[in-house]
Amino acid sequence: MQARKKYVLLGLCACCWLVLFYWGGGVQLRLLRLLTRHRGDVMRPWPNWTDRAFLPRYAHLDELQTDPGMAESPRQRRQAWSAIYKDSRCRMETCFDFSRCRRRGREGFRVYIYPSEKNDRVSESYRKILTSIAESRYYTSDPREACLFVLGIDTLDRDQLSGQFVPNVDERIRGYPLWNDGRNHLIFNLYSGTWPNYTEDLGFNIGQAILAKASLNTEHFRPGFDVSIPLFSKDHPQKGGERGWLVRNTVPPRRKYLLMFKGKRYLTGIGSDTRNALHHIHNGKDIVSLTTCRHGKDWEKHKDARYGPQIHKKWWKDSLNSYFYLHVCVQAACIPVLLSNGWELPFSDVIQWNQAVIEGDERLLLQVPSTVRAVGNERVLALRQRTQMLWEAYFSSVDKIVLTTLEIIKDRVFSHISRNKYMWNYLPGGLLVLPEYSTHLAHFPFYYLGLGVTPGQEFTAVIHAVSPLVSQSQPIMKLLQVVSKSKYCSQIIILWNSEKPPPSRSKWPPMPVPLTVTDGRRKTTSRFLPHVAIETEAVLSLDEDTVLLTSEVNFAFLVWRSFPERIVGYPPRSHFWDPLKRAWGYTSKWTNDYSIVLTGAAFYHRYYHYLFTHYLPQSLRTLVDRTSNCEDILMNFLVSAVTHQPPIKVAQRKQYKELPSPQGTKSVPWANPEHFNQRQECVNSFANWFGYMPLVHSQFRLDPVLFKDQVSVLRKKYKDLERA
């Protein structure tokens, strides 16, 4: 009986609840539908945050409301992507044939470019990319040697409305016998789809090819396989490029504005929401947004009261005089503030972008001012310095962009011998750090200071001999005695480049250190080969007729130990710009200004032997061997390009003079007038290959303590420097 009463009571409660819901909530819902139908709107259970009542001070209604039909859901985008690229899960292990690259070790990394057909249209930008590959040390004209293949068809601009668009790419590449569904192929692309609704569709199936693409979406990026590259214009320089704009003495940094943006507003399409809302953070004082809606053919239909070039004039000239910039403008030493959700940053595999940019969120635009204001001066300076390093190492020219792409792929192929993140993100950058030499940071001279590494206490002397040994009084005999007496000398290597065979060991004087005679194969560049016999970090490069004292050698070596990344030596030379000839000049005049230290008597790190042989192109080394000249200038170019610093000159006796050649030997090269003209031409040829002039002038000279001071010579450590 009690149980029946409980069930009846529960039934009555349920009936009452249903009646209340129907007459209470149901009626209210019907009334809301009637009201909203009367207003012509759709009923919303939550407030519409774009109503004027909710945002009276921030935005206009027509600025924030977007057409819902324009947006794609994540699922729709994934379906579109999978329809375009069926190999979206490609990785190096699954879509790359490593056997093509490992036939000759790391030397097997060769790149082949398909020949262009007669009527192919090739844009200026793509021509620069192909030129960079063809002039690199990886290029091969034989497809059988190739590890990687690059299309001769221009695939940079895949906008069908563009004049650079190449049709029928799919049909053409399928006809290539080596296409193999894109395996081991590299495709470059800067633009895909048509504005305003850009897509990832390139208009052809890339298959299993590696995609080197600008503005890659993280959702479509295949990690460890694709390469995100920077977007560059057709005017971007082929080589070299301009240096960064950061002046070293701007500490603490002082700029007129805190945050700036200059660019197009994009009234519709991708990117329009964020750019169209930038005026909300503009205050006209320290945060300035300079925008124009001149984009597309019908921009005038959409322009509003905020369009007007007259309001920009007072800020336009100072548009880069800012600490932070809502754009990637690393050359100007402006710290990029990125508001691009889903953008895979260029070379993200190797570059630590958090050390160079401030990453924001497009949905939190109003928080950007407070974010950048919270960055301290020390952090600002560190970020700006890193932008300059990245610009000069990877982005300042098309050559560097293309070579960085190839080096990233090469490191993937030979992952057991590859660069680490430190090598990529610290000076001099990954392109100048060859992992074939070593993968240990402590083996490279430019990392010594940061790692607290002290250079070794011994050196190897390498003497370049071109004259036959006809007399025991020749300068090379005295030079051997002087160098071998140095307490820092570990061994002496004579690089024999004479036409006559080297003399037997009994012809050479006895010495306290090992002496090795090596065949130089009559090549001038052989003096900079990475000889296996060189076991010390320091190399003392000497010409056979160099005249030095043991105390001079000792002092120069101690100086080098304080500057192991630079060339340290005695005879200086200089370069200059000739405005009349519009060319670089070379001078041997002894002045207070120099930019070259001749390697006829100089210390440097042995890594530069490896870099000279494996980094510089064969064309430059052939030029040196053909003329038997300029190898010392080329080494100075290389070291200054690595360090961005001049060589160091040390104290030398004033009485030093070049001695005449012994009887029966060849005349000294500088006695030939053609010798000097060749060196002038070399300076210009080298500058042309580097794309800029890497040599740096200096007036810095290091002397021993009390050198030339009016005190007793007996109180000086290097007495012989002043007695001679």
Side-chain angles (χ1 to χ4, degrees), residues 170 239 277 282 360 458 509 592 698 712:
D170 226 347
K239 294 177 176 291
H282 169 92
E458 293 182 329
N592 290 330
S698 175
S712 172

Side-chain angles (χ1 to χ4, degrees), residues 206-222:
I206 67 171
Q208 299 179 14
I210 298 172
L211 183 61
K213 188 181 186 320
S215 305
L216 255 174
N217 192 295
T218 55
E219 189 177 344
H220 306 145
F221 178 71
R222 296 173 290 184

